[in-house]
Amino acid sequence: MVAVKPAWLEGLMAETFFGSCGVHDSSRKNEKNVFCLRCCLSICPHCLPAHRSHPLLQVRRYVYHDVVRLDDLEKFIDCSYIQSYTINGAKVIFLNQRPQSKSKGSANICFTCDRILQEPFHFCSLSCKIDHLVDQGEDLSTILYRIDESDFAFSQFEGLRVDVPYMMEDDQITPNCILENPLQYNGTSGSNENVGNSRGMEAVRKNKGSGFLGGIVLSLSNRRKGAPQRAPLS
């Protein structure tokens, strides 16, 4: 069975962000830094009224690469075991792989691109996790959550400003760039479920070529009930 990426997920990872919007070429702050999951394209803040009823995802920049807030992305997909960073108080993850030098030794590395990671992460970006699952023939529907468009208030994007790229060196760890524990995701830190997930992933580490969804995937029925606490978008 061939794993199939939904159109919005493939579009999100392939899209180019922060270019000028052709529709609003003469407007200020016309960088395309919002992704519409229904239309599968990037839009600028001036395009937002035309997508008022669509699920939207804001994209930001960190060390000149595209990142998304974990709180935003995990509404759509299980982001466990993707290495995250805390920037200005918000957890973010990279959308795609980044250029790197060859890793050496027996360090903990990304399952897909061999980037050195902190324990106990297994992926450096969303695309690395998805590519690994596809290579293993896993069913991506088990990590995708149903999109409830009522959970996305258009008002949260009003007054959206364009982010300024962070002038930081790649992989520099500073007080504003703190590695996070993946077991804290989905609001289940310290639960028995996470203990089971951790054990499952340890088994995967011993056999990198085998499937591993059973150990880490949180089904929709196991997600935390109630509206999650969300930091206001900048």
Side-chain angles (χ1 to χ4, degrees):
M1 177 179 171
V2 178
V4 178
K5 300 176 186 176
W8 72 262
L9 181 58
E10 190 161 16
L12 175 64
M13 295 186 298
E15 186 64 272
T16 299
F17 295 96
F18 294 96
S20 297
C21 176
V23 178
H24 301 98
D25 188 56
S26 59
S27 301
R28 295 180 62 251
K29 295 187 176 181
N30 65 348
E31 291 88 348
K32 297 189 293 183
N33 64 338
V34 175
F35 185 77
C36 177
L37 280 76
R38 178 183 289 183
C39 301
C40 300
L41 52 78
S42 58
I43 60 176
C44 79
H46 304 288
C47 297
L48 290 175
H51 300 261
R52 178 179 295 272
S53 62
H54 300 178
L56 303 172
L57 185 66
Q58 185 178 355
V59 178
R60 294 168 166 80
R61 304 223 78 184
Y62 171 60
V63 289
Y64 304 104
H65 294 281
D66 297 332
V67 300
V68 291
R69 283 187 175 177
L70 180 62
D71 284 347
D72 295 338
L73 188 59
E74 65 181 0
K75 297 172 188 173
F76 311 112
I77 189 170
D78 172 24
C79 298
S80 58
Y81 293 94
I82 302 174
Q83 181 163 299
S84 69
Y85 297 85
T86 296
I87 304 173
N88 296 332
K91 297 178 185 177
V92 301
I93 62 175
F94 287 93
L95 286 181
N96 294 295
Q97 296 181 27
R98 292 162 288 155
Q100 62 172 329
S101 57
K102 293 292 184 178
S103 61
K104 298 180 181 179
S106 56
N108 181 50
I109 60 175
C110 176
F111 280 6
T112 301
C113 72
D114 294 337
R115 173 177 284 274
I116 296 177
L117 304 175
Q118 297 290 317
E119 291 281 1
F121 296 95
H122 302 296
F123 307 101
C124 70
S125 64
L126 174 65
S127 66
C128 281
K129 178 172 182 175
I130 298 304
D131 289 346
H132 181 79
L133 297 184
V134 170
D135 289 344
Q136 298 302 312
E138 300 285 1
D139 183 3
L140 295 183
S141 66
T142 58
I143 65 169
L144 297 171
Y145 303 139
R146 183 178 65 85
I147 298 176
D148 185 357
E149 297 187 5
S150 65
D151 192 33
F152 299 91
F154 175 78
S155 59
Q156 67 179 314
F157 289 92
E158 292 179 346
L160 178 67
R161 67 176 177 80
V162 178
D163 286 0
V164 177
Y166 288 87
M167 300 295 292
M168 295 180 66
E169 200 167 315
D170 194 16
D171 286 342
Q172 180 180 359
I173 306 302
T174 74
N176 286 331
C177 179
I178 307 169
L179 293 173
E180 297 294 333
N181 188 327
L183 298 184
Q184 295 176 348
Y185 296 171
N186 298 309
T188 55
S189 177
S191 68
N192 291 332
E193 181 180 49
N194 281 328
V195 173
N197 288 343
S198 179
R199 291 172 181 169
M201 290 308 295
E202 285 300 320
V204 172
R205 185 170 298 287
K206 296 177 182 178
N207 185 3
K208 183 176 177 180
S210 64
F212 68 102
L213 277 175
I216 66 170
V217 172
L218 302 178
S219 67
L220 181 59
S221 62
N222 289 332
R223 297 182 71 199
R224 180 175 57 185
K225 295 182 180 180
Q229 297 295 323
R230 305 187 187 97
L233 289 172
S234 57

